[in-house]
Amino acid sequence: MTLIKSGLAATFAAAAMLAGAPGAQAAVTYIGATNPCSTTDITGATACAGFYTGNGIAGTGNAADNQADAFTKLIIAGTPTIIDSVDAVDGDNSGVIDFGRLLYGFTVISAHWGAGTGGPGVGVRGGVSGMYTFNFATPTATVTTHFGSTWSNARLFSTEVCTTNCGGGGGGGVVPEPATWAMMIMGFGAAGALIRRRRTLAA
């Protein structure tokens, strides 16, 4: 019994020492002392955090710690939560990331690039990941990376729903304004009245 208690005490003591050690609280696999990523990595980006080694934000390894670290560096409130994801299509060399929905307002996207030629971490085993923020004034269907075919997958953490002046930017469900609804209802009513009047005259 004493041995068990002593063993548990030693285990807790070691855990406490590790918790107090620098960097022990978050196993962040960050490359470099400063961000080697750039807002020019993806068209329209306003800020970035990265690169993180491997698929470090997109969902493997130390993804949770890296996501939290990126949110801290980008001064984003809240807990990192992936709301959508997309994988690159084999043979697609366009570098275009398309979540199949409109992106609007403050938007947070992470991207992972493999270690292939042309990607941001050439020579880094497993490639690298970065997180980027955007502020789209109009709904936008896609974003384009400047590392071409080497991006592997992307994650959408945040985007807003456009409710006013939502024209352009591609397809996908925006909510009509109340004034638009009113005009549509009035139009249907007028069309119905005209049809009834014609039927009355015909009788």
Side-chain angles (χ1 to χ4, degrees):
M1 200 66 172
T2 305
L3 287 173
I4 293 173
K5 286 183 178 177
S6 298
L8 286 173
T11 301
F12 286 129
M17 286 176 63
L18 285 173
Q25 293 179 347
V28 176
T29 53
Y30 189 69
I31 300 174
T34 58
N35 278 358
C37 69
S38 169
T39 55
T40 60
D41 297 343
I42 302 179
T43 301
T46 55
C48 69
F51 297 110
Y52 298 84
T53 58
N55 209 342
I57 291 182
T60 60
N62 297 324
D65 291 329
N66 292 340
Q67 288 167 14
D69 185 70
F71 264 47
T72 299
K73 284 182 169 59
L74 294 171
I75 316 176
I76 301 172
T79 302
T81 303
I82 297 170
I83 60 174
D84 204 353
S85 61
V86 64
D87 294 328
V89 177
D90 288 342
D92 179 7
N93 297 322
S94 66
V96 173
I97 298 174
D98 185 353
F99 290 100
R101 66 167 74 196
L102 288 176
L103 307 173
Y104 177 72
F106 182 71
T107 299
V108 182
I109 294 172
S110 74
H112 168 65
W113 290 271
T117 302
V122 174
V124 178
R125 185 177 179 183
V128 297
S129 301
M131 186 177 284
Y132 299 79
T133 59
F134 304 80
N135 195 0
F136 297 113
T138 58
T140 302
T142 63
V143 294
T144 304
T145 78
H146 294 283
F147 298 112
S149 62
T150 58
W151 78 276
S152 301
N153 46 64
R155 302 291 184 265
L156 178 63
F157 287 83
S158 176
T159 196
E160 299 175 36
V161 176
C162 180
T163 56
T164 58
N165 302 318
C166 300
V174 292
V175 179
E177 297 180 56
T180 304
W181 278 116
M183 290 188 68
M184 288 170 62
I185 292 168
M186 288 174 61
F188 290 138
L194 184 61
I195 290 169
R196 284 194 300 274
R197 181 184 172 95
R198 285 182 177 173
R199 284 180 180 170
T200 302
L201 291 174

